Amino acid sequence: MRKLIAAMKMSADGKIEGPEGTADWVEAWSDDYGLMPQVDACVLGGGMYPGYEQYWTAIQKEPEKPVWITGSAPTPAELEWARFAAQTPHYVLSSTLTSALWPKTSFLRKLEEIAALKQRPGKDVYLVGGARTTASLIDAGLVDELRLIVYPLIAGRGKALFATTERRRGLEVRNVQQLRGGRVCLIYRMGQGAR
Ligand SMILES: NC(=O)c1ccc[n+]([C@@H]2O[C@H](COP(=O)([O-])OP(=O)(O)OC[C@H]3O[C@@H](n4cnc5c(N)ncnc54)[C@H](OP(=O)(O)O)[C@@H]3O)[C@@H](O)[C@H]2O)c1
């Protein structure tokens, strides 16, 4: 069965965005988790999808222009993700959204549809976020692996990645890697118990 791999960038105190609604400490939204070779589908929550689509469409259309979240021109790795995203099916978990600009985007209404997606043949599936979706899919036991890039700062007020998580769950460390700029990439396999 294909794995569902959640991957997010967060501060040392577990925030994925500051009080103003963006993680302004993240310099680029590229795949810095090494996921691209092993995935061929993305799952996202309805909360983040419109902003995600807007961000990567802007890069696809005008690759030299500064983008709205980082305020900088896209990095080479962001350009690579923009190309990858354009040709990769995206599945948006939402009971309210009905349309998307990207032709390869479709909508999932229930968690059972995520379980069915995992049963289909293919490479692994990347769970891009956001916070509530990641928390609910972990609680439902649908996430197989968690990759976190931890930034060297305490963000203070802001949106916590696990604010809506309901169940305690053990994790098994698979890899720890120090990245540029004091960041650390942690790869966990989801444990079965609540240790
Ligand atoms: N730092 C990072 O690496 C990172 C990565 C990704 C996103 N983000 C941030 O995350 C924020 C968005 O997170 P969020 O928590 O507000 O929203 P979200 O997780 O993107 O979306 C929440 C929505 O997803 C749908 N949903 C979630 N669980 C569901 C379930 N079990 N069944 C049915 N539908 C479900 C619902 O949509 P409906 O209401 O339409 O039903 C819900 O309102 C963005 O601001 C983005 O910047 C950060």
Side-chain angles (χ1 to χ4, degrees):
M1 190 169 65
R2 329 156 84 173
K3 282 192 291 186
L4 181 63
I5 304 174
M8 311 260 306
K9 299 177 178 180
M10 68 175 204
S11 62
D13 57 337
K15 302 294 174 6
I16 57 152
E17 58 186 43
E20 69 300 324
T22 58
D24 60 3
W25 56 85
V26 174
E27 65 300 328
W29 290 100
S30 36
D31 162 30
D32 302 332
Y33 317 95
L35 281 170
M36 241 182 290
Q38 88 182 74
V39 299
D40 63 3
C42 295
V43 168
L44 303 89
M48 73 166 285
Y49 183 75
Y52 171 94
E53 190 187 64
Q54 188 187 347
Y55 186 81
W56 295 106
T57 300
I59 294 178
Q60 287 156 1
K61 287 194 169 154
E62 297 182 299
E64 289 85 28
K65 267 197 158 178
V67 264
W68 57 280
I69 303 181
T70 60
S72 309
T75 64
E78 283 188 308
L79 294 173
E80 206 183 337
W81 180 261
R83 283 191 292 272
F84 183 84
Q87 65 200 28
T88 302
H90 281 60
Y91 299 91
V92 180
L93 183 62
S94 168
S95 56
T96 56
L97 294 180
T98 51
S99 68
L101 289 177
W102 292 1
K104 284 180 184 275
T105 293
S106 51
F107 296 94
L108 306 177
R109 306 296 178 199
K110 293 181 292 199
L111 292 186
E112 292 75 35
E113 293 175 74
I114 304 230
L117 177 65
K118 289 180 66 179
Q119 298 287 348
R120 283 190 225 152
K123 292 182 169 185
D124 291 336
V125 179
Y126 173 17
L127 172 56
V128 185
R132 277 176 292 159
T133 301
T134 301
S136 79
L137 296 193
I138 288 175
D139 278 339
L142 289 165
V143 175
D144 302 286
E145 194 177 298
L146 177 62
R147 299 190 183 197
L148 296 173
I149 292 182
V150 181
Y151 280 67
L153 91 154
I154 294 167
R157 285 187 300 123
K159 188 177 280 182
L161 173 52
F162 297 115
T164 60
T165 295
E166 290 178 354
R167 276 182 208 93
R168 173 169 160 162
R169 187 175 288 271
L171 302 171
E172 296 165 18
V173 179
R174 304 300 304 202
N175 194 44
V176 179
Q177 188 190 359
Q178 188 153 1
L179 307 178
R180 268 186 304 104
R183 296 170 302 153
V184 179
C185 183
L186 301 165
I187 301 186
Y188 295 105
R189 189 163 66 191
M190 304 307 293
Q192 294 309 307
R195 187 168 58 84

